[in-house]
Amino acid sequence: MSPSVPSRSARRRAAGTLCVLLAVGVVITGLVQAAPSATPRAIDPRIAAVMRKPDYRHAQWGLFRQDPRTGKVSESRYADQFFIPGSAAKLFSVSGTWHTLGGDHRFVTPVHAVGQRRNATLKGDLDLVAQGDLTLGGRTRKDGTVAFTTIDHTYANDVPGATLTPENPLAGIDQLARQVRQSGIRRVDGDVVVDARLFQPDPGLDPVPTPLIINDNVIDLLTTPGAEAGTPAGLEWRPKVAPYHVTSSVRTVAAGKPSDINVSSSPDGTRIQLSGTIAADSAPVLRVSTVKDPNAFGRTALIEALQRAGVEVRAKAVGRNPVRQLPRTYQGASTVARYTSPAYAQYAELILKVSHNLGANLGICLMATSTGSTNCNDGFPVLAKFLEHAQVDRKAVQLADGRGGNPADRATPRAMAQILTYWQRTPEARRFRTSLPILGVDGTLADSCRSCPSRGKVFAKTGTAAGGDLLNDRLAVGAETTAGYLETRKGHFDVFFAGVNGAATPTADITGVLTIANDVADVAAYLQQQAAGGH
């Protein structure tokens, strides 16, 4: 992948939000320095050579490797000091959600007919009761697995090379609409209402989870170059739901010139405008725009899907979600449709492989709902109780969200090794391990070490935190981390952490961050080779 070089103005915008996202973005803060913990053996000279690079002159590296069966520690550097984990924090939140719900848990989203049925007419409302289903069928393959790409579409505005999965983002909504018709309803003399009372959206979690999520609550905008320089660029977008409308003034420029595409929208998010340029030899460029009212969006999407399925709805398709019409209970109301999701373990794989921020934050809210609460913050005590059950030193972990994006988020290398060790003691050890990115194979580690001896032998969650250093016209990389498993021999896996806090790139080119990410991946590979006796 060859990311384009952002302009100075684009870099300034990125710095202004303190967020250049790769695997995750967090606010950059200072680091506590401490004496390194004792190391049982000298650091591999290949690892030491990486640490001595100029990018790490003022940085702090952490290393940890342990045999989870015997408890023997083979590498330990700053093992008990706090590190900014970036998205490696998802190891804790996803583990807690998995344990709370169960890996085989499926979300069943019903549609209730509230009112009286007279032949094929419903004198009343259709209520879709949102259950916190992360994809609602929008990524489900025919075999029931959940699709993902190396760079997820949710990162399209920040990371070059994001691509789309081929699945229809409205697949679950369409399935519900067809089931309504199959139930015998042909006309709804009432309204369609989204019941999103499962939990209250918490603006403290960014991105903010909602009980109803369609296409990750974004509109996909795919620009392709025109036939030659000077011609308008092509545009495709999805999902097409009223009243969303997209226009583009993007022009094609000569091959080799930079592509620079910007997205703006109206205050309600329904009028989206693309502007800028795309090079004649460029691959399609993906951008996204946020759906600002997921419930109104879902209501309209369902009404339009009902119409496609042959069900007439008296209410206007476009409008606010009429929540005041929701009943206190659905006792006595018939269920006329239900969509059943893939198992939660499939969602966990999506979250971990691509570092899906919305899905990780959603887990906090789902843990809260397991207690009967609608307050997402009530998910943290559930997570705390789980970490104690998993024998993780809770005081060695600081979390204020599920994705690893809050400035307060911290964890020690040893604590990350502890959560990884927990899974090795469970019947789902392999299922969890293979849900992590695999070095040189998939997820956020797909493009690292593709030809090295450790390819396919490192299973690890990555994390990145970076922001603009305007003083020095470069990028400050607060964190680049990885934590997971090293296959030391067939069927045996050590747990490990490798990461650096406080690095910096030579310039403001985002490829410098990718270089640091590759360095951390290389360190993980060297740890694996050392553990396997490869040198």
Side-chain angles (χ1 to χ4, degrees), residues 408-491:
D409 292 348
R410 296 289 189 278
T412 68
R414 194 183 303 274
M416 283 187 262
Q418 287 168 346
I419 190 63
L420 293 160
T421 297
Y422 159 78
W423 282 103
Q424 287 294 89
R425 301 193 298 261
T426 73
E428 294 190 290
R430 182 182 182 280
R431 197 178 190 184
F432 179 81
R433 183 176 64 252
T434 56
S435 295
L436 299 172
I438 303 174
L439 186 67
V441 177
D442 63 19
T444 54
L445 287 173
D447 294 326
S448 299
C449 210
R450 302 193 75 164
S451 301
C452 77
S454 298
R455 182 180 186 272
K457 298 176 182 178
V458 176
F459 306 77
K461 183 72 199 76
T462 61
T464 303
D469 174 6
L470 295 182
L471 178 66
N472 298 294
D473 195 23
R474 62 182 182 178
L475 297 176
V477 185
E480 189 64 55
T481 60
T482 185
Y485 302 97
L486 308 170
E487 186 172 16
T488 59
R489 59 183 183 275
K490 188 174 179 60

Side-chain angles (χ1 to χ4, degrees), residues 98-116:
W98 188 321
H99 178 264
T100 301
L101 300 178
D104 291 324
H105 174 80
R106 296 176 187 268
F107 300 86
V108 180
T109 303
V111 174
H112 298 298
V114 180
Q116 300 296 318

Side-chain angles (χ1 to χ4, degrees), residues 167-355:
E167 285 71 26
N168 174 14
L170 296 177
I173 293 292
D174 284 340
Q175 188 178 128
L176 288 169
R178 290 193 295 269
Q179 289 182 33
V180 170
R181 190 180 192 284
Q182 290 165 6
S183 76
I185 295 176
R186 299 292 184 273
R187 177 181 170 86
V188 178
D189 279 348
D191 214 324
V192 171
V193 192
V194 171
D195 185 341
R197 294 177 290 187
L198 182 68
F199 60 81
Q200 296 297 315
D202 185 348
L205 298 173
D206 180 21
V208 179
T210 51
L212 179 68
I213 297 171
I214 297 174
N215 200 44
D216 299 310
N217 292 341
V218 298
I219 303 294
D220 296 316
L221 313 160
L222 191 65
T223 299
T224 54
E228 58 185 16
T231 59
L235 171 67
E236 298 177 23
W237 62 281
R238 70 175 203 183
K240 289 184 170 66
V241 174
Y244 284 76
H245 182 69
V246 183
T247 57
S248 174
S249 60
V250 178
R251 305 291 294 182
T252 308
V253 295
K257 289 195 172 183
S259 297
D260 186 7
I261 299 174
N262 300 303
V263 180
S264 60
S265 68
S266 59
D268 67 355
T270 63
R271 293 293 180 266
I272 302 168
Q273 171 71 39
L274 282 80
S275 60
T277 60
I278 185 170
D281 59 346
S282 172
V285 174
L286 182 65
R287 294 288 185 266
V288 294
S289 186
T290 301
V291 172
K292 297 186 179 181
D293 189 342
N295 297 331
F297 182 84
R299 172 186 174 272
T300 298
L302 182 53
I303 291 175
E304 292 179 341
L306 288 165
Q307 292 169 344
R308 291 193 296 270
V311 179
E312 180 185 356
V313 179
R314 181 179 178 183
K316 292 182 179 179
V318 176
R320 292 181 178 274
N321 185 45
V323 293
R324 291 184 179 180
Q325 296 173 206
L326 291 172
R328 286 188 176 183
T329 176
Y330 290 103
Q331 185 174 357
S334 60
T335 302
V336 293
R338 55 170 56 90
Y339 176 78
T340 303
S341 77
Y344 176 75
Q346 280 290 311
Y347 285 163
E349 180 173 347
L350 168 66
I351 296 166
L352 294 169
K353 292 285 191 186
V354 309
S355 209

